[in-house]
Amino acid sequence: MARERLRDWGISYTEGGDPKTERVQRWLRFVDPGGFEIELFSGMYERGVPPVSSGANLQKFLHAGWEVRDWETTTRFYQEVLGFKASDWIGDMAGFFRAGDRYHHSLVLIRAQEPAFNHFCIQVESIDDVMRFRHNAVKHGVALKDDLLRHAPSGSIGVYIKDEARGFSVEYCVGHPQLDDASHSPRILPLAPETVDIWRSPLPELRRPAPTVTPSVPPPAPTTVPPSVPPSVPLPTAGDDLGTTAFLAKAAAHSS
């Protein structure tokens, strides 16, 4: 079926397969409309015993993402020729596509001028495995491309490290859901920071209560107290012949 669809699109391909050297029974190779080299294969060999644990419980090679030119044609190609189903879009810049296992996305296609591999993702068992992966990267001086975040399209929680030698990133994630093909409808999400990481969504502005204005009350006027007359000054009696001036003089002399 893939051969017929590739021919319908005018895309040439080569075929082969050598289990002894390539560990697959059959492969088919071509270049997609975005300029990326693709290999489809069947009959991959498997290990007879599980590999020794690396310290993080790996569950699945989950998805890969790459940058493509001619984004509109390329996203249509993967749906019409290879049978991927659109799960979500970020504007007209990125598309998330699921395959037969129904995980939210097995493929991410990003609009770009030139083709380039962006990242691949490993799903792990728990958030502890994600954080163990992060801790070991930091411990050994490996740069983090994106620290702990939660993607809006899938809701998965992950960490990205940068492979400086190869120029792409490696993601470890947990909580990547499977979708119901019958009920799911693709969303168009905004190209915004909170789409990449929902924890970057701005919170409502804090409304501070208006300051209480207390009206100023003028201080009370000072009370004027009339001078007191020393109690030891004898008051004039009816028989005294003293005028007011003489009385004040006598009081002043008495107080001194």
Side-chain angles (χ1 to χ4, degrees):
M1 185 178 295
R3 298 182 186 89
E4 295 175 2
R5 292 177 179 177
L6 288 170
R7 286 195 293 267
D8 290 343
W9 273 63
I11 294 178
S12 60
Y13 58 85
T14 58
E15 295 185 78
D18 184 354
K20 292 183 179 180
T21 60
E22 298 172 317
R23 295 293 187 257
V24 296
Q25 293 179 341
R26 298 293 298 170
W27 53 257
L28 186 150
R29 296 169 182 162
F30 58 91
V31 177
D32 71 11
F36 218 85
E37 296 181 6
I38 302 298
E39 177 181 298
L40 309 179
F41 62 85
S42 63
M44 175 178 278
Y45 279 27
E46 298 183 21
R47 292 175 58 95
V49 295
V52 177
S53 174
S54 63
N57 298 310
L58 312 184
Q59 287 188 326
K60 180 180 178 62
F61 182 95
L62 190 62
H63 67 256
W66 53 85
E67 302 160 19
V68 299
R69 57 176 180 252
D70 197 357
W71 184 79
E72 287 84 359
T73 302
T74 304
T75 55
R76 187 165 61 88
F77 169 83
Y78 277 92
Q79 294 173 87
E80 296 180 4
V81 176
L82 298 184
F84 284 86
K85 296 181 179 180
S87 293
D88 283 317
W89 306 89
I90 297 181
D92 61 351
M93 292 299 297
F96 299 83
F97 305 91
R98 65 188 183 277
D101 60 9
R102 297 186 297 105
Y103 281 94
H104 180 274
H105 56 275
S106 297
L107 172 66
V108 185
L109 297 176
I110 305 165
R111 183 190 293 272
Q113 294 296 321
E114 295 296 331
F117 191 74
N118 185 273
H119 76 280
F120 70 85
C121 176
I122 302 292
Q123 177 159 279
V124 294
E125 188 174 281
S126 72
I127 188 64
D128 293 329
D129 296 298
V130 172
M131 298 308 293
R132 191 175 297 115
F133 168 76
R134 180 194 182 281
H135 169 76
N136 279 281
V138 173
K139 177 182 178 180
H140 294 287
V142 179
L144 297 178
K145 179 179 180 293
D146 291 297
D147 207 346
L148 193 66
L149 50 72
R150 185 165 195 167
H151 291 309
S154 66
S156 62
I157 299 174
V159 169
Y160 292 71
I161 65 169
K162 182 71 174 179
D163 187 333
E164 299 288 355
R166 297 173 179 82
F168 58 77
S169 300
V170 180
E171 176 189 7
Y172 269 38
C173 85
V174 67
H176 195 106
Q178 291 175 295
L179 302 181
D180 180 9
D181 289 340
S183 62
H184 180 76
S185 296
R187 300 167 296 173
I188 302 177
L189 303 173
L191 183 62
E194 58 265 29
T195 299
V196 176
D197 179 9
I198 66 171
W199 294 326
R200 296 174 66 183
S201 177
L203 297 176
E205 292 186 8
L206 181 62
R207 294 184 177 180
R208 300 182 181 275
T212 303
V213 177
T214 303
S216 59
V217 179
T223 303
T224 302
V225 179
S228 59
V229 177
S232 58
V233 177
L235 296 177
T237 63
D240 290 337
D241 185 17
L242 290 176
T244 304
T245 303
F247 171 75
L248 294 177
K250 182 179 181 180
H254 181 78
S255 62
S256 60

